[in-house]
Each structure stands twice: as structure tokens, then as C-alpha cells.
Amino acid sequence: MRQAKQLTSLLAVLTLLLTCVFSFPANKAYAAEDDELGLSAEAAILIDAETGQILYEKNADKLLGVASMSKMMTEYLVLEAIESGKISWDQKVTIDEYVHKLSAAPGLSNIGLTQGETYTVKELYEAMAIFSGNAATVALAQLVGGTEKNFVKLMNEKAKELGLEEYNFVNSSGLNNTSLLGQYPAGNEEDENLMSARATAKLAYELLKDYPEVLDYAKVPRLNFKDGKTYDNFNWMLPGLIYEYEGVDGLKTGSTEFAGSCFTATAERNGQRYISVVMKADSKNSRFTETKKVLDYAFNNFTKEEILKKGYQDKSQKTVGVAKGKEDSVAIETSKAVELVVKKGEADDVKTKLVINKDKLDEDGNLVAPVKKGEKIGYLTVETPNNYGMITGDSKGVRVDVVTAETVEKSNWFVLSMRAVGGFFGDMWGGITGAVKGLF
């Protein structure tokens, strides 16, 4: 009877525990644990625009629809073609029947383009970059690639060249292929451009680094087009628009039923620029409210500081041996100061790791004289606490070259000979001493 009561009590306790476990809102616990910002978006990432440091991420490697944010790749290729002289800003482009019909398709972001009329590359670029004009994008793709199909190949090739890992481009505009009036250049009818938040941020990072003039167009709140109409930029965080945010001057929105609402933003305050990506937000409005959370987090919690001064010597190794030199060692130091974006109060918590290039050393681990001052012999990696790595993916921290701090000349033949003789007799004397000790 007593055992039965104990069993009944035990079952009651287990039932209560199970009830508590299964009634707990597990999805909220998961969100709180995995996303410190609690964003209402499928994926997001935040990086420092100068170094590529990743400061925050959520589902950053998940492959998602990217919609018109993929126009950043089209912008990159157009700017590259202009830089190389393949096309020019004032070059005239004649609109064909397909581009004209696409520009008039209902429900799409477009500026009407007249069949047979000419527009300059600059006019089409402004329509694409400011108002996300899909037909204007296709016209530019045709110009650069010959056909949009060939241009899409260029997009995927450039993505690989830039080191993007999660991506697939099937058209130049970011529309779903079903919206392209039956003339989709790659993939299936239902396909759409795909990228991860990490790949999108890296594309934005490379675009800003290689072609900073992209902001001259991205920051324009309203476009006054040649048709006499005014078109508001879809980036509503620009000055004078609905969600104006201090410092925002780019970069690209995106929205389709498949991709949801997306936004790649960049903002600069007091010389500090960040890039953020928010993907598959709940609505066109929420992509801006969620971006505000990310940018607020950046500007309120991080600061750029000089972590290491030029000439810093790592505690793990301050010198390297030198063979055949007038000195038997040489001091090593960083070639320049290291600035990093760190959370406020964490500047003293960074970690360093020294890596010496072994190809510079002989079999005994020494440099061989002569050694010039400033000769690069390795690098120092500097990592921040809670490190997310770098958007470039080539290391987990910022690298700075490690160089020799002074010149070490090669000793003359007489000194080297005397060292060799001294070494010979030293070895011989050591051998004799060891033998004598062995007798006792």
C-alpha cells in the first residue's frame, strides 16, 4: 500500500514537470537564446564597413530569396564596365520591345521606358539604383552582357570571384522569373535569386570598397526622371522619407512574395560606417524598424579604438634569431597601429596570435643576414571577445604585418670564420668534458 502511494506521488510529480515543460513557449526561449536583438526577421547580419568585422548575426548562412537586393550585383558589374571603359555614363541605350513591355507590367517597380527611345546609361542606372526599376536593370544587363542570359552568367562568376558562398542568380533584377513575361534568362519559371545574409553583406562590403561612388546614387531620396515625374527611393530611411535615420545613405531594398521584405542598409556617423542586412522581415515597414534595431545596436554599443600601437611587440615572441649577422637576433614589431570596432569596455580583452612565415627562416628557425629594417616576416591576428569572424572569411580577426624593427648586416668572412672555429673548439671541448665526467 505504501509503495503504491509513493508511485502515485511520483507519477503526479512527473506529470507536473511534463506539463511545465510542454506548456513553456519554447519558440520564444529559442529566439531569446539565439538572437540577442529579438528581430522579427528570418536572417540578419551586421558588419563594420571598413574591416569587415562581423558584429552580429542571425541565421546568416541560410539561403533565402534576395529579391531586388540582387541589383547590387548588377550595379557592381555596371560600375566595373564603366571603370574598364567598356561602357560610359553618357552612352545611349535604345529600348527594345521586351524591356518596354516589362516596364509597363502591372505590380512591378518600374519607370516607364518607351520602345525605340534612347536613354543614357546614367539615366537607366539612376532608375535602377534609386527607384529599383526592373526594366531599366534588364536594359543595362543587355548592354553589359549582350543578353540578359549572358549577364546572369557574369553575375554568378563575379559572385564566385568575390568569395560569396551561398548564392544563385537567375536574372539581373531580382524579380521572380514568373514576372519576366516568359523571358527568364536562367533557371526554371518559378526560380528567384537566392543569397544568404552573409553573402549579401559581403557583396555590399565589396561594392562599397571597390566602387564607393555607388552611394552618390543610393543616397538620393527622390529621383526626378526625364519623363517629368518624381519617384521616391524605396529606402525609406533616407533623409526626408518615412523612416529617416541619421547617417543612412544606402543601399538596397528588396521585396517579393517569396523573399518577403529585405533591406541592405549602410549608415555612417562620425567616420564610423556599418552595413546591415535584414532578410524576410514581416512587412515592408518592419524591414526598416528591424534595421533600426540593428543600427541602434551598432552605434550605441560599439566604438572604434586603437587596440595596438604601431611597433607593438607581442609578448609571445619579441625577437627572431639571425644567422650570419653582426647581431644574433633582431626585434620584431607590428608595421602599423591596429584599430578595431569593439563593444564599449572590451578594448582590453582582445586576443593576439603571432604567426611567423617559416619560409623566411632557415632550418634552425633563424633569419639569414642581411636583414633589412621593415622586412615582413609574418603577421599578428587580433581578435575581439565573442568573435564572429570576418566577412572576408580569410581569418577570424584583423591581421597586421609583423616586420623587423632594425637592419642586421651580414658579418664579414673573418668574423664568420672565427665563429666557426670557436664553434668547432667549443664542441670539441664539450665532448672532452663529457668524456672526462663519464670516467667518474
Side-chain angles (χ1 to χ4, degrees):
M1 187 69 175
R2 183 179 180 182
Q3 289 180 338
K5 288 183 178 180
Q6 289 176 336
L7 181 59
T8 301
S9 299
L10 179 60
L11 288 173
V13 171
L14 288 173
T15 301
L16 179 61
L17 287 172
L18 289 172
T19 301
C20 291
V21 169
F22 286 107
S23 63
F24 189 85
N27 59 329
K28 291 185 179 180
Y30 177 84
E33 180 183 350
D34 286 49
D35 178 20
E36 57 187 310
L37 301 187
L39 296 184
S40 296
E42 187 73 18
I45 195 168
L46 169 69
I47 68 170
D48 169 42
E50 182 179 351
T51 64
Q53 288 174 255
I54 301 171
L55 308 174
Y56 160 83
E57 61 180 48
K58 173 186 178 181
N59 293 334
D61 296 309
K62 188 171 184 177
L63 200 61
L64 296 168
V66 71
S68 283
M69 292 197 302
S70 55
K71 287 186 175 76
M72 290 189 293
M73 179 60 82
T74 301
E75 291 174 4
Y76 190 104
L77 291 171
V78 170
L79 294 171
E80 183 180 59
I82 291 172
E83 180 184 47
S84 68
K86 182 177 181 179
I87 63 175
S88 64
W89 283 116
D90 58 0
Q91 184 172 340
K92 300 291 183 65
V93 180
T94 302
I95 301 303
D96 64 20
E97 181 182 10
Y98 168 60
V99 171
H100 162 66
K101 288 183 176 179
L102 184 64
S103 76
L108 304 181
S109 172
N110 267 317
I111 290 176
L113 302 175
T114 304
Q115 183 178 349
E117 187 172 341
T118 60
Y119 299 80
T120 65
V121 167
K122 184 176 182 180
E123 288 169 339
L124 294 172
Y125 186 93
E126 288 174 335
M128 171 180 66
I130 300 171
F131 193 64
S132 200
N134 292 293
T137 304
V138 174
L140 289 170
Q142 291 175 341
L143 177 66
V144 174
T147 64
E148 188 181 7
K149 181 176 182 179
N150 190 54
F151 186 82
V152 170
K153 292 180 181 178
L154 297 177
M155 294 175 78
N156 285 292
E157 289 171 1
K158 180 58 65 174
K160 183 178 181 180
E161 179 185 323
L162 294 176
L164 276 60
E165 294 185 357
E166 306 88 11
Y167 65 90
N168 183 39
F169 293 105
V170 295
N171 61 58
S172 62
S173 63
L175 289 171
N176 190 292
N177 273 351
T178 55
S179 299
L180 296 178
L181 309 181
Q183 296 197 35
Y184 49 90
N188 299 316
E189 184 179 7
E190 299 292 335
D191 282 345
E192 185 171 320
N193 292 343
L194 303 171
M195 280 201 286
S196 67
R198 191 183 310 279
T200 305
K202 190 172 193 311
L203 173 57
Y205 170 80
E206 298 291 347
L207 179 59
L208 288 174
K209 178 169 64 74
D210 295 343
Y211 301 104
E213 63 268 29
V214 69
L215 295 179
D216 293 340
Y217 302 91
K219 69 182 180 182
V220 177
R222 292 180 175 86
L223 170 63
N224 297 314
F225 201 63
K226 65 184 296 183
D227 59 6
K229 298 178 181 179
T230 299
Y231 300 87
D232 282 359
N233 197 315
F234 281 101
N235 176 2
W236 296 347
M237 297 185 83
L238 290 172
L241 300 183
I242 301 172
Y243 290 97
E244 178 179 347
Y245 186 93
E246 181 187 353
V248 167
D249 53 5
L251 193 55
K252 194 69 198 73
T253 59
S255 180
T256 64
E257 183 178 350
F258 172 71
S261 295
C262 314
F263 183 32
T264 297
T266 184
E268 182 179 25
R269 293 181 187 173
N270 302 317
Q272 175 58 48
R273 178 175 293 279
Y274 295 106
I275 297 170
S276 67
V277 178
V278 169
M279 300 185 74
K280 208 162 189 177
D282 296 337
S283 66
K284 290 183 179 180
N285 290 345
S286 69
R287 64 185 169 186
F288 301 119
T289 58
E290 301 312 286
T291 294
K292 181 181 184 300
K293 291 178 185 178
V294 179
L295 293 178
D296 281 348
Y297 174 69
F299 286 114
N300 293 338
N301 292 278
F302 291 89
T303 180
K304 179 174 286 185
E305 297 190 27
E306 185 179 275
I307 304 301
L308 302 178
K309 294 185 178 297
K310 179 181 178 180
Y312 170 81
Q313 292 186 296
D314 195 62
K315 295 178 181 179
S316 65
Q317 185 176 345
K318 295 185 177 182
T319 63
V320 172
V322 178
K324 301 181 180 180
K326 289 185 176 181
E327 305 292 338
D328 59 8
S329 67
V330 62
I332 57 175
E333 61 186 21
T334 56
S335 62
K336 61 180 181 181
V338 176
E339 286 190 336
L340 278 178
V341 175
V342 294
K343 272 192 173 180
K344 294 175 181 178
E346 293 186 352
D348 295 332
D349 298 328
V350 298
K351 298 178 181 179
T352 61
K353 181 180 180 181
L354 177 65
V355 178
I356 301 296
N357 184 355
K358 293 182 179 180
D359 293 337
K360 290 279 187 178
L361 308 178
D362 64 13
E363 59 184 9
D364 296 320
N366 299 315
L367 295 170
V368 179
V371 176
K372 294 181 180 180
K373 181 179 179 179
E375 184 176 336
K376 180 182 175 182
I377 64 162
Y379 62 87
L380 189 73
T381 299
V382 187
E383 295 183 14
T384 59
N386 303 314
N387 181 46
Y388 286 105
M390 309 295 290
I391 198 65
T392 52
D394 56 0
S395 71
K396 289 187 176 181
V398 173
R399 289 184 178 183
V400 59
D401 290 343
V402 171
V403 299
T404 51
E406 53 201 10
T407 295
V408 178
E409 296 179 357
K410 186 175 182 179
S411 291
N412 60 45
W413 68 270
F414 180 77
V415 173
L416 293 176
S417 298
M418 289 301 96
R419 286 181 183 174
V421 170
F424 169 76
F425 284 110
D427 291 342
M428 184 175 68
W429 177 253
I432 293 172
T433 302
V436 173
K437 286 182 178 180
L439 295 175
F440 299 95

